[in-house]
Amino acid sequence: MRDNPLVLHVLGARPNFVKAAPVVRGLAELGVRQGIIHTGQHYDALMSDVFFADLGLPEPIANLGVGSGTHARQTAALLTGLEDVVLEHRPALVVVYGDVNSTLAAILVCAKLHVPTAHVEAGLRSFDREMPEEVNRVVTDALSDLLFATSPEALSHLANEGVNPAKVHLVGNPMIDSLFAALPKLDPAPVQERLGIDGGYAVATLHRPANVDDPEAARELVDAVLGVAEQVPVVVPLHPRGRQRLAEAGLVDRPNLKIVDPLGYVDFLSLVRGAALVVTDSGGVQEETTMLGVPCLTVRPNTERPITVTHGTNRLVTPASLPAAASKALADGAATPSGELPPLWDGAAGPRIARVIDAWLRGDNLSPAAKGALR
């Protein structure tokens, strides 16, 4: 390995920033030279720039500004933009996060250029190939040189796909590191006051293609959310993706339904912390509500994060069953996790990942015993 090797992190969307921050801090503490490529996949300032500030991330060395578009057009822009940056900086390792199109594009670029890669959040599977994210996960894990798993079931998924176990490290969940670091700042009251919320409320986040791209599915989902709003005021920080489609389906301001712009990391989690209930189709929110002890109803037929159901506060629901499920959750009150909290979700995943990367950069042979020592 060459002297003073460079590690680049490719980030494109809110969950990437949250997962990367603890890893970036951990590598900085070890003196590793690094930089961030911001692809601009989330093109709203409140979906990206505010997160850099809230999470203490350094300024990117490049911002591709790819914005929105179809999967093909967005991925094509990402491929060409990322190739130029990787060729310019010649990193020793590129770290990617989660399952967004920026992650897929970075993995493909690096595979073609023979640049080693690491995937944080490897091995998650919904087993639903109709989800674009599922395709991104499978391809990313197949091409990565280091795979960082956040939960035990991910290990078996990777083994079943023939991934060399020497590449795989169970490290815990860096998203939980960020949550733990933010906890002292998570005060619901100022956000509630600013948004004009008085009394109990629910939070809803909706953006998955299966829920918002098809007009009929969007109408069914909106009707279900309105059923929840008949029971408790619902605040919807509306993701840019699908905003127009959901508005056309009736998701607009009305009594007991408040549509707001996307919130920064601390503001959003503060709002969630004070909520009686969260309705979502997001992956990361399932994890955050588990740790905050807030009931979560996920409007999806499956989840790549089953540990939030078996060990957390998450339940899968259909649009048709959402109002009744919300009624039960509201009657039951504050949620308690279904079992013990997931292993290694202890706020130390970032340093674990950093130690593995630092050892890899130095060429250390990570035997099973060495992996254990790095925890």
Side-chain angles (χ1 to χ4, degrees):
M1 190 66 66
R2 60 183 182 270
D3 291 339
N4 200 20
L6 172 67
V7 174
L8 291 182
H9 307 264
V10 176
L11 312 180
R14 170 196 181 271
N16 299 163
F17 311 140
V18 180
K19 294 161 194 165
V23 181
V24 171
R25 280 197 303 272
L27 289 170
E29 290 171 1
L30 295 173
V32 174
R33 188 165 66 102
Q34 56 186 328
I36 290 173
I37 304 172
H38 185 351
T39 68
Q41 183 175 330
H42 271 179
Y43 44 91
D44 187 301
L46 284 174
M47 297 295 281
S48 61
D49 296 351
V50 171
F51 279 80
F52 271 75
D54 281 352
L55 294 162
L57 286 165
E59 287 291 317
I61 63 170
N63 192 326
L64 305 184
V66 298
S68 63
T70 66
H71 286 290
R73 290 183 182 278
Q74 187 180 69
T75 305
L78 287 162
L79 287 168
T80 55
L82 286 167
E83 182 180 61
D84 288 344
V85 178
V86 171
L87 285 171
E88 177 186 354
H89 291 277
R90 300 286 180 177
L93 183 72
V94 171
V95 186
V96 299
Y97 298 81
D99 52 25
V100 297
N101 286 341
S102 298
T103 301
L104 174 68
I107 282 290
L108 292 175
V109 164
C110 292
K112 298 285 188 179
L113 296 177
H114 309 293
V115 174
T117 51
H119 182 206
V120 175
E121 204 178 66
L124 296 188
R125 297 291 182 270
S126 67
F127 301 101
D128 180 0
R129 291 291 179 92
E130 292 187 6
M131 291 180 64
E133 297 90 345
E134 182 77 353
V135 176
N136 294 351
R137 293 178 199 119
V138 172
V139 174
T140 299
D141 287 340
L143 296 176
S144 293
D145 297 278
L146 290 172
L147 296 98
F148 295 111
T150 59
S151 56
E153 72 272 10
L155 303 180
S156 58
H157 297 159
L158 294 169
N160 290 339
E161 293 172 11
V163 174
N164 181 350
K167 297 180 177 181
V168 181
H169 306 263
L170 179 62
V171 292
N173 191 338
M175 180 172 273
I176 304 308
D177 293 22
S178 289
L179 175 59
F180 282 1
L183 274 176
K185 296 181 284 186
L186 301 187
D187 182 1
V191 185
Q192 293 169 0
E193 182 178 359
R194 191 169 74 247
L195 297 179
I197 301 168
D198 185 19
Y201 63 93
V203 174
T205 68
L206 310 164
H207 73 280
R208 291 279 176 182
N211 281 333
V212 305
D213 284 1
D214 176 71
E216 184 175 344
R219 279 194 298 273
E220 185 180 6
L221 178 61
V222 170
D223 287 345
V225 172
L226 294 178
V228 177
E230 292 175 357
Q231 306 172 57
V232 64
V234 179
V235 183
V236 187
L238 201 53
H239 195 293
R241 194 190 188 291
R243 178 188 289 264
Q244 181 176 347
R245 182 80 72 190
L246 289 170
E248 291 168 352
L251 196 71
V252 295
D253 275 330
R254 59 177 73 197
N256 261 22
L257 185 68
K258 181 179 288 289
I259 310 300
V260 301
D261 287 333
L263 299 172
Y265 178 69
V266 170
D267 281 352
F268 176 73
L269 283 184
S270 295
L271 191 67
V272 167
R273 190 178 198 180
L277 172 70
V278 170
V279 176
T280 191
D281 57 12
S282 163
V285 172
Q286 298 171 45
E287 297 174 338
E288 290 161 341
T289 50
T290 281
M291 300 308 292
L292 290 172
V294 176
C296 180
L297 300 176
T298 298
V299 191
R300 286 172 49 185
N302 50 55
T303 178
E304 65 285 351
R305 294 167 169 84
I307 202 164
T308 63
V309 176
T310 59
H311 290 63
T313 64
N314 185 31
R315 301 293 177 268
L316 300 181
V317 297
T318 64
S321 66
L322 175 59
S327 177
K328 183 179 186 308
L330 292 168
D332 290 345
T336 55
S338 303
E340 293 183 7
L341 289 175
L344 300 181
W345 286 25
D346 56 3
R352 289 189 192 99
I353 294 168
R355 289 195 293 272
V356 173
I357 290 174
D358 184 51
W360 183 89
L361 290 170
R362 290 187 278 103
D364 290 0
N365 179 27
L366 294 177
S367 65
K371 287 186 182 184
L374 287 166
R375 291 179 186 171

